[in-house]
Amino acid sequence: MKKFLAIMIAVLMLALTFVACSNGGNTEKATLVMATNAEFPPYEFHEGDAIVGIDAEVAQAIADKLGMELKIEDVAFDSIIPGVQAGKYDMGMAGMTVNEERLKSVNFSTSYAKGVQVVIVKEDSDIKSVDDVAGKKIGVQTSTTGDIYATDDFGEENVTKFDNGAVAVQALLGDKVDCVIIDNEPAKSYVAANEGLKILDTEYVEEDYAICFNKNNAELEEKVNKALEELIADGTVDKIVAKYIKA
Ligand code: GLN
């Protein structure tokens, strides 16, 4: 009888453990932590308390597909790759251009959008084309591809680095710099939001945007990339882009 009771208690305890575990599994979804710099409209920007934009919505669609909970961390652009490398964030998504240098530090997903580096000037500027930028004061967002190209092509002494595009554009408005080199979509937003600015017709450099991952997290990278490819194939990404970028 004693032995029977002991077995019964053991069975009960085991059953309880299972219930507890499965409950935990049901209520807690795994989180997908995305690092971004939410100063890059229309890819990511603040709307009230929320971070919205193309990247935020594509990431949400990926998380939904994977049954995960999306968490967006808004950090400085140049903290994204180091944070992903350190395992602080699962991925970086920030209108981020794929390039050789970054590929040494992180892996990239399939590209989901194209970007073009353009030059913003004041309407009455004597800078008429990219060639006229030589010798002028150039504003960039620090550590972006615009920064890298401008520094390589026109010399570090001519480049002023700002925390984000919005501050660079303020510097242009205040004549602290003669032009700003930045991605075309945020450029359009800044020009629309401020009087007296225009984008030069000549495009500077074309590039591909993709999500970056830690080099040692192949499992997550494959899952996210597969979800992204499905969302590209079924037109979801196009639909999100069309919501933010009017053709
Ligand atoms: N596409 C540019 C880059 O990757 C700018 C991205 C950004 O400022 N969010 O460097």
Side-chain angles (χ1 to χ4, degrees):
M1 191 60 195
K2 242 185 176 171
K3 202 173 168 190
F4 175 73
L5 219 88
I7 291 172
M8 280 300 284
I9 289 170
V11 168
L12 242 142
M13 277 172 67
L14 208 73
L16 277 172
T17 313
F18 272 121
V19 170
C21 285
S22 62
N23 260 348
N26 282 340
T27 49
E28 262 170 52
K29 280 196 209 169
T31 38
L32 178 64
V33 183
M34 157 186 161
T36 197
N37 175 236
E39 308 283 350
F40 198 70
Y43 286 91
E44 40 268 327
F45 55 100
H46 292 272
E47 205 172 77
D49 288 339
I51 292 170
V52 297
I54 294 168
D55 288 345
E57 287 202 28
V58 171
Q60 186 60 59
I62 290 170
D64 289 347
K65 228 180 212 299
L66 300 177
M68 296 174 89
E69 181 104 37
L70 179 68
K71 187 166 177 244
I72 300 181
E73 298 269 5
D74 184 17
V75 301
F77 184 75
D78 59 358
S79 305
I80 299 174
I81 289 180
V84 167
Q85 279 184 293
K88 256 169 92 178
Y89 319 119
D90 296 318
M91 62 185 203
M93 198 172 183
M96 190 181 279
T97 304
V98 180
N99 72 14
E100 288 305 314
E101 194 55 35
R102 290 173 184 165
L103 277 165
K104 290 180 195 160
S105 314
V106 285
N107 289 349
F108 278 100
S109 70
T110 298
S111 173
Y112 62 91
K114 293 232 175 278
V116 184
Q117 294 296 314
V118 295
V119 184
I120 311 178
V121 292
K122 282 191 149 180
E123 261 164 7
D124 57 2
S125 173
D126 57 353
I127 302 175
K128 307 282 180 216
S129 80
V130 176
D131 297 332
D132 300 334
V133 171
K136 300 283 187 189
K137 279 184 261 159
I138 309 162
V140 297
Q141 328 175 67
T142 188
S143 301
T144 61
T145 46
D147 178 6
I148 298 162
Y149 303 137
T151 304
D152 284 353
D153 291 348
F154 302 108
E156 193 165 12
E157 66 281 9
N158 294 311
V159 178
T160 310
K161 299 164 196 268
F162 296 93
D163 279 348
N164 58 61
V167 228
V169 167
Q170 286 312 310
L172 173 61
L173 288 166
D175 293 318
K176 304 270 190 301
V177 295
D178 302 313
C179 63
V180 169
I181 295 181
I182 193 171
D183 304 50
N184 57 334
E185 289 304 330
K188 282 196 236 164
S189 300
Y190 293 132
V191 169
N194 296 283
E195 294 254 315
L197 298 179
K198 66 175 184 188
I199 298 170
L200 292 187
D201 278 339
T202 32
E203 293 177 345
Y204 185 31
V205 185
E206 272 190 57
E207 29 189 45
D208 293 316
Y209 293 167
I211 305 172
C212 72
F213 302 97
N214 187 296
K215 281 193 178 288
N216 303 314
N217 198 352
E219 197 191 322
L220 180 90
E221 179 185 335
E222 275 161 30
K223 267 197 325 201
V224 170
N225 200 38
K226 184 165 170 279
L228 173 65
E229 284 176 352
E230 286 169 10
L231 293 164
I232 294 172
D234 73 7
T236 306
V237 170
D238 276 346
K239 239 168 69 191
I240 294 170
V241 170
K243 180 175 158 190
Y244 287 94
I245 302 175
K246 306 280 172 248

